Amino acid sequence: MLLLALDTATPAVTVALHDGESVLAESHQVDARRHGELLLPAVDRVLAEAGRTLKDLTGIVTGVGPGPYTGLRVGIVTAATFGAALSIPVHSLCSLDGIAYAAGQAGLTGEFVVATDARRKEVYWARYADPRTRITEPAVDRPGDLTEPLAGLTAVGAGAVLYADAFSDVRADLPQHQSAAALAALAVEKLRGGGEFLPGRPLYLRRPDAQVPANYKVVTPK
């Protein structure tokens, strides 16, 4: 087994190579505006560090969000392209699940919530029974609307840190962005245990910022 994991659903451009036992190499850069520019060089760097090539891969792991439209599609399209070109499977996971799993690797136990920055003064979030078990569907909401339903729960992720007043117990010391290494390890567990993966479609949860203007003037040739 040799999995290339990548995710661009958060400001982190994160890539890792996992052989089914451990992470062989990883790259993690936080830059919300340069996903397309940074992702492929990170893939090359990780493969080179591990002394492997794309032809050695047996599968691709990718986070499918939720995340902002432009950044999210970079990782998903790249994963799909690798999968098609190499004729290997692409295993898709909720990006929030990767952050939850990373929090568990850092020692978090029990029920908690993961929240990432969705911009527009909103967060993407989901609730977890433990680092491996999500108990709500991913959603997008204003932090203030979550204060009562999530009262008393530990919160992790950049969205929780950004809107700390809306959450009960914010753990800023735990992972705030996605980790491809954690995403890969979670995928390995699912592959060995017969767990389910998501369809390879992006979880946008809302319409993109860029839209066709209403009542625009149509110009036709005379």
Side-chain angles (χ1 to χ4, degrees), residues 75-145:
I76 295 175
V77 170
T78 300
T81 301
F82 281 149
L86 300 169
S87 298
I88 57 178
V90 177
H91 309 293
S92 302
L93 292 168
C94 172
S95 297
L96 299 176
D97 292 356
I99 298 173
Y101 189 87
Q105 289 180 315
L108 184 61
T109 60
E111 192 169 342
F112 62 94
V113 60
V114 174
T116 60
D117 183 15
R119 304 174 186 172
R120 303 187 196 175
K121 297 182 179 180
E122 294 178 328
V123 293
Y124 297 116
W125 68 278
R127 189 168 178 167
Y128 292 80
D130 57 61
R132 293 174 174 80
T133 310
R134 177 162 44 84
I135 56 178
T136 66
E137 291 299 315
V140 59
D141 288 288
R142 290 186 175 275
D145 295 337

Side-chain angles (χ1 to χ4, degrees), residues 113 125 127 142-153 165-168:
V113 60
W125 68 278
R127 189 168 178 167
R142 290 186 175 275
D145 295 337
L146 302 176
T147 301
E148 184 174 343
L150 300 180
L153 288 181
D165 291 346
F167 297 93
S168 300

Side-chain angles (χ1 to χ4, degrees), residues 54-79:
L54 287 173
K55 292 182 180 180
D56 296 324
L57 300 177
T58 62
I60 307 292
V61 179
T62 183
V64 293
Y69 180 80
T70 302
L72 177 57
R73 64 181 179 175
V74 170
I76 295 175
V77 170
T78 300

Side-chain angles (χ1 to χ4, degrees), residues 20 38 218:
L38 296 174
V218 178

